[in-house]
């Protein structure tokens, strides 16, 4: 049974010239404040930095934290939970499955930045729900609210990428796409519907839903680009598996986060 998403408090990094197999990791988006703008902030012991662009307003710097337990219904109650309405991470009553941790903060694409100018915290935060027709990273036209980018400073060789997503409405997911990028070029693109079923089964769509989406990676990557087709929030990013073989003269960083070993290849 895979370790449930949780916040990590400690990190030890060492370098070896060899390979590592069966690594796994899960990174959440704390600590932080409800409505805080976190564009450019590193998470997972500097494993990656986040950024976001709001396509409707054509505004970068839009990566925002949202507390699903805030009770803030003024702007976007669809991101609140638990209890959630449905999903593969909850039971029939919307309660979290045994071993699944309550998401403390979600990463969202800010609807607006009012109130963030002085203290970096948006007043009554909401995620963007309106769409524009734009050309995605893979050259395909889609109706999207914006994109979230997870930028690694070292190439990653993982067998699977996992995202925990709150508020996965079917229409939004049908428009969404996830791209793995290496050196600025898209090397693999995934639709979110249909998606690969992981340990928690097939996602169940709807307002206030909470699901894990699983993508099988066939290429190394140094960015994950998530193009959002509607209102939603990401609770964690996970990477599983892979055997890392460094390029000549390279090395592998072995990162231990909260007892979980993470392997990444140095570029």
């Amino acid at each position: 049974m895979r370790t449930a998403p949780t916040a990590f408090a400690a990190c030890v990094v060492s370098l070896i010239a060899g390979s590592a197999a069966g690594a796994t990791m899960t990174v959440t988006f704390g600590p932080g404040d409800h409505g805080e703008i976190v564009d450019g902030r590193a998470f997972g012991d500097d494993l990656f930095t986040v950024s976001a662009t709001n396509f409707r307003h054509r505004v970068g710097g839009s990566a925002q934290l949202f507390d699903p337990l805030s009770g803030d219904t003024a702007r976007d109650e669809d991101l609140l939970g638990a209890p959630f309405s449905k999903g593969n991470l909850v039971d029939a009553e919307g309660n979290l499955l045994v071993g699944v941790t309550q998401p403390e903060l979600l990463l969202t694409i800010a609807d607006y930045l009012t109130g963030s100018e002085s203290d970096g915290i948006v007043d009554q935060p909401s995620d963007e729900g309106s769409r524009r027709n734009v050309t995605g990273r893979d050259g395909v036209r889609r109706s999207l609210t914006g994109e979230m980018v997870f930028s690694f400073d070292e190439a990653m060789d993982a067998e699977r990428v996992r995202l925990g997503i709150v508020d996965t409405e079917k229409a939004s997911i049908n428009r969404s796409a996830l791209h793995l990028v290496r050196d600025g070029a898209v090397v693999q693109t995934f639709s979110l519907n249909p998606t690969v079923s992981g340990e928690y089964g097939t996602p169940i769509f709807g307002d206030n839903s909470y699901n894990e989406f699983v993508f099988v990676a066939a290429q190394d990557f140094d960015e994950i680009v998530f193009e959002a087709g509607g209102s939603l929030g990401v609770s964690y990013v996970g990477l599983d598996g892979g055997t890392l073989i460094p390029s000549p003269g390279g090395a592998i960083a072995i990162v231990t986060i909260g007892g979980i070993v993470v392997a990444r290849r140095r570029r």
Side-chain angles (χ1 to χ4, degrees), residues 197-221:
S197 297
E199 285 83 347
Y200 296 110
T202 303
I204 303 171
F205 304 123
D207 287 338
N208 294 97
S209 56
Y210 188 28
N211 290 285
E212 178 176 273
F213 290 78
V214 178
F215 311 92
V216 177
Q219 302 287 337
D220 294 356
F221 56 90

Side-chain angles (χ1 to χ4, degrees), residues 81-252:
F84 296 98
S85 65
K86 61 193 69 176
N88 63 12
L89 293 176
V90 300
D91 62 21
E93 285 72 42
N95 299 309
L96 296 168
L97 297 177
V98 174
V100 175
T101 303
Q102 166 68 39
E104 297 181 4
L105 290 165
L106 308 177
L107 184 70
T108 65
I109 299 169
D111 182 8
Y112 61 97
L113 301 177
T114 304
S116 67
E117 294 85 355
S118 58
D119 61 3
I121 298 177
V122 174
D123 300 330
Q124 292 185 331
S126 174
D127 68 316
E128 181 57 73
S130 298
R131 292 169 287 275
R132 289 181 62 91
N133 289 321
V134 299
T135 301
R137 293 291 188 102
D138 58 348
V140 176
R141 295 284 291 181
R142 296 184 178 89
S143 183
L144 301 170
T145 61
E147 69 174 17
M148 302 178 189
V149 180
F150 308 92
S151 301
F152 301 83
D153 59 5
E154 298 173 351
M156 306 299 294
D157 179 9
E159 293 175 354
R160 302 193 316 167
V161 175
R162 295 177 285 110
L163 293 184
I165 303 180
V166 171
D167 191 23
T168 47
E169 300 175 54
K170 188 168 185 177
S172 300
I173 291 302
N174 284 342
R175 301 183 186 99
S176 301
L178 184 137
H179 309 292
L180 302 183
V181 177
R182 178 71 188 271
D183 297 327
V186 173
V187 295
Q188 200 170 357
T189 293
F190 303 90
S191 167
L192 272 69
N193 186 29
T195 184
V196 175
S197 297
E199 285 83 347
Y200 296 110
T202 303
I204 303 171
F205 304 123
D207 287 338
N208 294 97
S209 56
Y210 188 28
N211 290 285
E212 178 176 273
F213 290 78
V214 178
F215 311 92
V216 177
Q219 302 287 337
D220 294 356
F221 56 90
D222 53 30
E223 279 190 338
I224 299 172
V225 178
F226 179 40
E227 295 175 343
S231 170
L232 52 80
V234 175
S235 62
Y236 61 86
V237 175
L239 303 178
D240 299 327
T243 299
L244 305 191
I245 303 174
S247 58
I252 295 175

